[in-house]
Amino acid sequence: MSLTLTVPDLSDAATRARFESVAAAATAVDGHPPFNEQAMLDLASGRRTPLLISVGDEPVGAAILGQGELDFVIAPAHRGHGHGGEALRQILADAPDQLTAWSHGDHPAARVLANRYRLAAARTLLQLGASLTREIPAEAAPAAHSGARTSAFRPGVDDEEWVALNALVFASHPEQGSLTRADLAARQTEPWFDPGDFLLARDEATGALIGYTWLKIEPGSPSGEIYVVGVHPDAAGRGLGRALLLAGMERLRDRGCTSVTLYVEAHNTPAVNLYRSLGFTDHTVDVQYRRLPS
Protein backbone atom coordinates (compact mmCIF):
# COMPACT_ATOMS: atom_id res chain seq x y z
CA MET A 1 0.00 0.00 0.00
CA SER A 2 1.16 3.54 -0.68
CA LEU A 3 1.94 6.04 2.02
CA THR A 4 -0.45 8.98 2.36
CA LEU A 5 -0.35 12.29 4.23
CA THR A 6 -3.64 13.72 5.44
CA VAL A 7 -4.66 16.65 7.64
CA PRO A 8 -6.47 15.06 10.59
CA ASP A 9 -9.38 16.71 12.38
CA LEU A 10 -7.95 16.89 15.88
CA SER A 11 -11.27 18.10 17.26
CA ASP A 12 -12.46 14.51 16.79
CA ALA A 13 -11.38 12.53 19.86
CA ALA A 14 -10.69 9.29 18.00
CA THR A 15 -8.64 11.03 15.32
CA ARG A 16 -6.68 12.99 17.91
CA ALA A 17 -5.95 9.76 19.77
CA ARG A 18 -4.48 8.25 16.59
CA PHE A 19 -2.25 11.29 16.09
CA GLU A 20 -1.15 11.38 19.72
CA SER A 21 -0.50 7.63 19.85
CA VAL A 22 2.32 8.06 17.32
CA ALA A 23 3.98 10.78 19.42
CA ALA A 24 3.52 8.78 22.63
CA ALA A 25 5.09 5.66 21.13
CA ALA A 26 8.08 7.66 19.88
CA THR A 27 8.52 9.39 23.25
CA ALA A 28 8.53 6.04 25.07
CA VAL A 29 11.28 4.62 22.85
CA ASP A 30 13.38 7.73 22.12
CA GLY A 31 13.23 9.20 25.63
CA HIS A 32 12.03 12.62 24.47
CA PRO A 33 8.95 13.95 22.65
CA PRO A 34 9.11 14.32 18.86
CA PHE A 35 7.43 17.74 18.92
CA ASN A 36 8.80 20.66 20.90
CA GLU A 37 6.70 23.03 22.96
CA GLN A 38 6.58 25.75 20.31
CA ALA A 39 5.26 23.30 17.73
CA MET A 40 2.51 22.18 20.11
CA LEU A 41 1.53 25.75 20.98
CA ASP A 42 1.47 26.70 17.28
CA LEU A 43 -0.68 23.64 16.59
CA ALA A 44 -3.13 24.57 19.36
CA SER A 45 -3.41 28.15 18.08
CA GLY A 46 -3.92 27.11 14.46
CA ARG A 47 -0.63 28.61 13.26
CA ARG A 48 0.64 25.20 12.17
CA THR A 49 -1.01 22.17 10.59
CA PRO A 50 -1.00 18.55 11.77
CA LEU A 51 -0.30 15.75 9.31
CA LEU A 52 -1.05 12.07 9.82
CA ILE A 53 1.25 9.73 7.91
CA SER A 54 -0.53 6.48 7.10
CA VAL A 55 -0.21 3.25 5.17
CA GLY A 56 -3.73 2.18 4.39
CA ASP A 57 -5.74 2.81 7.52
CA GLU A 58 -2.79 2.46 9.87
CA PRO A 59 -1.00 5.58 11.15
CA VAL A 60 2.76 5.14 10.88
CA GLY A 61 3.88 8.68 11.59
CA ALA A 62 2.85 12.22 12.42
CA ALA A 63 4.04 15.72 11.56
CA ILE A 64 3.43 19.37 12.40
CA LEU A 65 4.05 21.80 9.53
CA GLY A 66 3.87 25.57 9.19
CA GLN A 67 5.60 28.86 9.97
CA GLY A 68 8.42 27.63 7.69
CA GLU A 69 9.16 24.75 10.07
CA LEU A 70 8.63 21.00 10.16
CA ASP A 71 8.61 18.49 13.00
CA PHE A 72 7.84 14.90 12.07
CA VAL A 73 8.30 11.39 13.41
CA ILE A 74 7.79 7.80 12.36
CA ALA A 75 6.37 5.47 15.01
CA PRO A 76 9.10 3.10 16.28
CA ALA A 77 7.20 -0.03 15.18
CA HIS A 78 7.19 1.25 11.58
CA ARG A 79 10.77 2.46 11.24
CA GLY A 80 13.19 0.93 8.77
CA HIS A 81 10.64 0.59 5.96
CA GLY A 82 11.33 3.85 4.11
CA HIS A 83 8.27 5.65 5.47
CA GLY A 84 10.31 8.59 6.74
CA GLY A 85 11.99 9.16 3.39
CA GLU A 86 8.74 8.94 1.45
CA ALA A 87 6.92 11.23 3.88
CA LEU A 88 9.69 13.82 3.68
CA ARG A 89 9.71 13.60 -0.14
CA GLN A 90 5.99 14.38 -0.24
CA ILE A 91 6.26 17.21 2.28
CA LEU A 92 9.19 18.85 0.49
CA ALA A 93 7.37 18.74 -2.84
CA ASP A 94 5.09 21.55 -1.66
CA ALA A 95 7.24 23.08 1.08
CA PRO A 96 8.71 26.58 0.88
CA ASP A 97 12.38 27.23 0.29
CA GLN A 98 14.47 27.53 3.46
CA LEU A 99 12.16 25.13 5.32
CA THR A 100 13.66 24.10 8.66
CA ALA A 101 13.22 20.74 10.36
CA TRP A 102 14.13 19.63 13.87
CA SER A 103 15.79 16.36 14.74
CA HIS A 104 15.10 15.97 18.45
CA GLY A 105 17.81 13.82 19.97
CA ASP A 106 19.98 14.10 16.82
CA HIS A 107 18.54 10.85 15.50
CA PRO A 108 20.89 9.01 13.08
CA ALA A 109 18.06 8.40 10.61
CA ALA A 110 17.44 12.14 10.45
CA ARG A 111 21.04 12.71 9.36
CA VAL A 112 20.60 10.21 6.53
CA LEU A 113 17.39 11.88 5.33
CA ALA A 114 18.92 15.35 5.65
CA ASN A 115 21.80 14.35 3.40
CA ARG A 116 19.48 12.72 0.87
CA TYR A 117 17.17 15.73 0.60
CA ARG A 118 19.76 18.54 0.81
CA LEU A 119 19.04 19.75 4.33
CA ALA A 120 22.06 21.23 6.11
CA ALA A 121 22.54 21.42 9.87
CA ALA A 122 21.88 25.06 10.85
CA ARG A 123 21.51 25.05 14.63
CA THR A 124 22.49 22.78 17.50
CA LEU A 125 20.52 23.02 20.72
CA LEU A 126 21.97 21.41 23.83
CA GLN A 127 19.93 20.14 26.73
CA LEU A 128 22.04 20.24 29.87
CA GLY A 129 21.17 18.79 33.24
CA ALA A 130 22.34 19.01 36.85
CA SER A 131 21.54 17.47 40.21
CA LEU A 132 19.86 19.63 42.84
CA THR A 133 20.77 17.30 45.69
CA ARG A 134 24.33 18.54 45.97
CA GLU A 135 25.60 21.83 47.32
CA ILE A 136 26.60 24.53 44.85
CA PRO A 137 30.37 25.23 45.21
CA ALA A 138 31.18 28.49 46.98
CA GLU A 139 33.19 29.64 43.97
CA ALA A 140 30.03 29.40 41.83
CA ALA A 141 28.39 32.29 43.69
CA PRO A 142 28.17 35.66 41.91
CA ALA A 143 31.47 37.54 42.02
CA ALA A 144 29.79 40.89 42.60
CA HIS A 145 26.55 42.18 43.99
CA SER A 146 24.06 42.39 41.14
CA GLY A 147 22.34 45.52 42.45
CA ALA A 148 18.90 44.01 41.89
CA ARG A 149 15.93 42.89 43.94
CA THR A 150 13.94 39.81 42.95
CA SER A 151 10.19 39.30 43.07
CA ALA A 152 7.59 36.99 41.52
CA PHE A 153 5.94 37.76 38.20
CA ARG A 154 2.53 39.46 38.47
CA PRO A 155 0.15 38.28 35.71
CA GLY A 156 -1.63 41.20 34.08
CA VAL A 157 0.83 43.69 35.56
CA ASP A 158 4.31 42.70 34.38
CA ASP A 159 3.32 41.16 31.02
CA GLU A 160 4.04 44.05 28.68
CA GLU A 161 7.30 45.04 30.38
CA TRP A 162 8.55 41.45 30.34
CA VAL A 163 7.66 40.90 26.67
CA ALA A 164 9.61 44.04 25.75
CA LEU A 165 12.68 43.00 27.72
CA ASN A 166 12.54 39.44 26.39
CA ALA A 167 12.40 40.76 22.81
CA LEU A 168 15.45 42.92 23.49
CA VAL A 169 17.48 40.17 25.15
CA PHE A 170 16.65 37.59 22.47
CA ALA A 171 16.52 39.88 19.45
CA SER A 172 18.58 37.43 17.39
CA HIS A 173 16.82 34.28 18.62
CA PRO A 174 14.26 32.96 16.10
CA GLU A 175 11.78 31.56 18.65
CA GLN A 176 12.28 33.20 22.03
CA GLY A 177 12.75 36.70 20.67
CA SER A 178 9.46 36.64 18.76
CA LEU A 179 7.33 35.83 21.81
CA THR A 180 4.23 38.04 21.98
CA ARG A 181 1.80 38.91 24.75
CA ALA A 182 -0.55 36.31 23.27
CA ASP A 183 2.22 33.69 23.49
CA LEU A 184 2.85 34.67 27.11
CA ALA A 185 -0.87 34.45 27.87
CA ALA A 186 -1.02 30.98 26.30
CA ARG A 187 1.80 29.77 28.51
CA GLN A 188 0.02 31.12 31.57
CA THR A 189 -2.82 28.67 30.87
CA GLU A 190 -0.48 25.68 30.87
CA PRO A 191 -0.82 23.31 33.88
CA TRP A 192 2.83 23.86 34.80
CA PHE A 193 2.62 27.66 35.04
CA ASP A 194 3.12 29.16 38.50
CA PRO A 195 3.84 32.91 38.84
CA GLY A 196 6.01 32.09 41.86
CA ASP A 197 8.32 30.19 39.49
CA PHE A 198 8.77 33.29 37.32
CA LEU A 199 11.35 35.49 39.04
CA LEU A 200 11.89 39.08 37.93
CA ALA A 201 14.93 41.17 38.81
CA ARG A 202 14.52 44.94 39.09
CA ASP A 203 17.20 47.56 39.50
CA GLU A 204 17.33 48.59 43.16
CA ALA A 205 17.78 52.25 42.26
CA THR A 206 15.32 52.72 39.41
CA GLY A 207 12.89 49.81 39.70
CA ALA A 208 13.39 48.99 36.01
CA LEU A 209 13.12 45.36 34.93
CA ILE A 210 16.66 44.19 34.14
CA GLY A 211 16.49 40.39 34.27
CA TYR A 212 14.43 37.29 34.88
CA THR A 213 14.52 33.53 35.27
CA TRP A 214 11.43 31.52 34.41
CA LEU A 215 11.08 28.00 35.75
CA LYS A 216 8.96 25.12 34.50
CA ILE A 217 7.88 22.15 36.61
CA GLU A 218 5.60 19.67 34.94
CA PRO A 219 2.98 18.37 37.42
CA GLY A 220 4.29 15.31 39.24
CA SER A 221 7.79 15.56 37.82
CA PRO A 222 10.84 15.38 40.13
CA SER A 223 12.79 17.47 37.62
CA GLY A 224 12.44 21.19 36.91
CA GLU A 225 13.54 23.24 33.96
CA ILE A 226 15.25 26.60 33.74
CA TYR A 227 12.78 27.64 31.05
CA VAL A 228 14.51 30.87 30.12
CA VAL A 229 16.98 33.32 31.66
CA GLY A 230 17.47 36.85 30.41
CA VAL A 231 19.53 39.88 31.43
CA HIS A 232 19.23 43.39 29.99
CA PRO A 233 22.38 44.20 27.96
CA ASP A 234 22.99 47.28 30.13
CA ALA A 235 23.09 45.05 33.23
CA ALA A 236 25.62 42.59 31.82
CA GLY A 237 28.83 41.96 33.73
CA ARG A 238 27.30 42.44 37.18
CA GLY A 239 26.86 38.75 37.99
CA LEU A 240 23.10 39.03 37.56
CA GLY A 241 22.76 36.05 35.22
CA ARG A 242 24.56 33.76 37.66
CA ALA A 243 22.54 35.16 40.57
CA LEU A 244 19.28 34.51 38.73
CA LEU A 245 20.32 30.97 37.86
CA LEU A 246 21.20 30.23 41.48
CA ALA A 247 17.92 31.75 42.66
CA GLY A 248 16.05 29.60 40.17
CA MET A 249 17.85 26.44 41.25
CA GLU A 250 17.11 27.23 44.88
CA ARG A 251 13.44 27.75 44.06
CA LEU A 252 13.32 24.39 42.28
CA ARG A 253 14.97 22.73 45.27
CA ASP A 254 12.42 24.31 47.61
CA ARG A 255 9.65 23.00 45.35
CA GLY A 256 10.94 19.45 45.78
CA CYS A 257 12.82 19.01 42.52
CA THR A 258 15.90 16.79 42.65
CA SER A 259 17.29 17.69 39.23
CA VAL A 260 17.18 20.54 36.72
CA THR A 261 17.52 20.83 32.95
CA LEU A 262 17.83 23.71 30.50
CA TYR A 263 18.30 24.32 26.79
CA VAL A 264 21.05 26.46 25.28
CA GLU A 265 22.35 27.12 21.79
CA ALA A 266 25.63 25.25 21.37
CA HIS A 267 27.36 28.30 19.88
CA ASN A 268 26.52 30.47 22.92
CA THR A 269 29.89 29.83 24.55
CA PRO A 270 29.54 32.28 27.49
CA ALA A 271 26.21 30.76 28.53
CA VAL A 272 27.43 27.18 28.09
CA ASN A 273 30.50 27.95 30.21
CA LEU A 274 28.33 29.54 32.91
CA TYR A 275 26.06 26.50 33.08
CA ARG A 276 28.96 24.09 33.19
CA SER A 277 30.51 26.08 36.06
CA LEU A 278 27.32 25.37 38.02
CA GLY A 279 27.56 21.63 37.44
CA PHE A 280 25.44 21.21 34.30
CA THR A 281 26.47 18.39 31.96
CA ASP A 282 25.32 17.20 28.52
CA HIS A 283 22.01 15.37 28.37
CA THR A 284 20.62 15.44 24.81
CA VAL A 285 21.25 17.28 21.52
CA ASP A 286 18.66 18.67 19.09
CA VAL A 287 19.70 19.65 15.56
CA GLN A 288 17.76 21.94 13.26
CA TYR A 289 18.25 21.40 9.54
CA ARG A 290 17.58 23.99 6.85
CA ARG A 291 16.68 23.20 3.25
CA LEU A 292 19.40 24.27 0.84
CA PRO A 293 18.50 26.30 -2.25
CA SER A 294 17.93 24.23 -5.39
Side-chain angles (χ1 to χ4, degrees):
M1 291 186 183
S2 61
L3 183 141
T4 60
L5 275 65
T6 57
V7 178
D9 178 8
L10 298 186
S11 65
D12 176 74
T15 303
R16 189 176 189 90
R18 285 159 61 86
F19 182 86
E20 292 179 344
S21 69
V22 173
T27 300
V29 170
D30 299 335
H32 49 78
F35 306 128
N36 61 23
E37 181 187 60
Q38 189 61 55
M40 296 303 294
L41 288 170
D42 285 346
L43 182 63
S45 68
R47 289 183 291 191
R48 293 175 67 178
T49 303
L51 295 173
L52 195 60
I53 303 166
S54 305
V55 174
D57 292 330
E58 185 168 12
V60 300
I64 299 177
L65 178 66
Q67 304 289 304
E69 194 165 304
L70 167 69
D71 293 76
F72 91 103
V73 66
I74 300 299
H78 297 282
R79 292 173 181 171
H81 301 289
H83 298 324
E86 174 58 17
L88 186 58
R89 184 192 69 78
Q90 292 188 35
I91 290 169
L92 291 177
D94 296 317
D97 290 339
Q98 299 297 305
L99 179 77
T100 62
W102 279 107
S103 169
H104 301 291
D106 191 20
H107 200 285
R111 290 180 229 150
V112 173
L113 291 179
N115 184 62
R116 182 187 306 170
Y117 290 101
R118 291 179 50 78
L119 297 164
R123 290 171 62 194
T124 300
L125 190 65
L126 306 178
Q127 185 188 43
L128 307 181
S131 170
L132 291 173
T133 60
R134 63 176 184 82
E135 291 296 322
I136 300 296
E139 59 269 21
H145 190 268
S146 63
R149 54 179 174 81
T150 304
S151 59
F153 177 82
R154 298 166 298 172
V157 177
D158 296 318
D159 304 54
E160 186 172 350
E161 191 177 10
W162 179 82
V163 168
L165 177 58
N166 181 73
L168 174 65
V169 172
F170 291 98
S172 62
H173 194 283
E175 292 99 19
Q176 186 65 32
S178 62
L179 215 84
T180 65
R181 286 196 67 173
D183 295 323
L184 176 59
R187 284 161 174 78
Q188 291 180 48
T189 67
E190 292 292 309
W192 55 263
F193 179 77
D194 182 333
D197 295 334
F198 196 166
L199 307 178
L200 305 184
R202 294 185 176 278
D203 187 276
E204 289 180 332
T206 67
L209 184 62
I210 57 173
Y212 54 88
T213 182
W214 191 353
L215 312 173
K216 178 180 180 181
I217 308 173
E218 294 285 0
S221 174
S223 181
E225 179 184 340
I226 302 289
Y227 191 51
V228 62
V229 176
V231 174
H232 194 292
D234 292 344
R238 292 161 47 177
L240 181 57
R242 185 181 292 269
L244 285 167
L245 274 169
L246 291 171
M249 293 168 73
E250 188 61 32
R251 167 74 179 180
L252 292 174
R253 190 181 290 109
D254 290 344
R255 295 263 273 128
C257 294
T258 56
S259 61
V260 56
T261 61
L262 57 81
Y263 288 91
V264 60
E265 300 283 345
H267 71 267
N268 189 347
T269 303
V272 172
N273 289 341
L274 170 59
Y275 300 144
R276 295 202 190 285
S277 75
L278 295 176
F280 284 85
T281 57
D282 293 347
H283 186 54
T284 63
V285 177
D286 293 344
V287 177
Q288 186 184 63
Y289 292 92
R290 184 176 298 277
R291 189 180 191 183
L292 295 173
S294 301

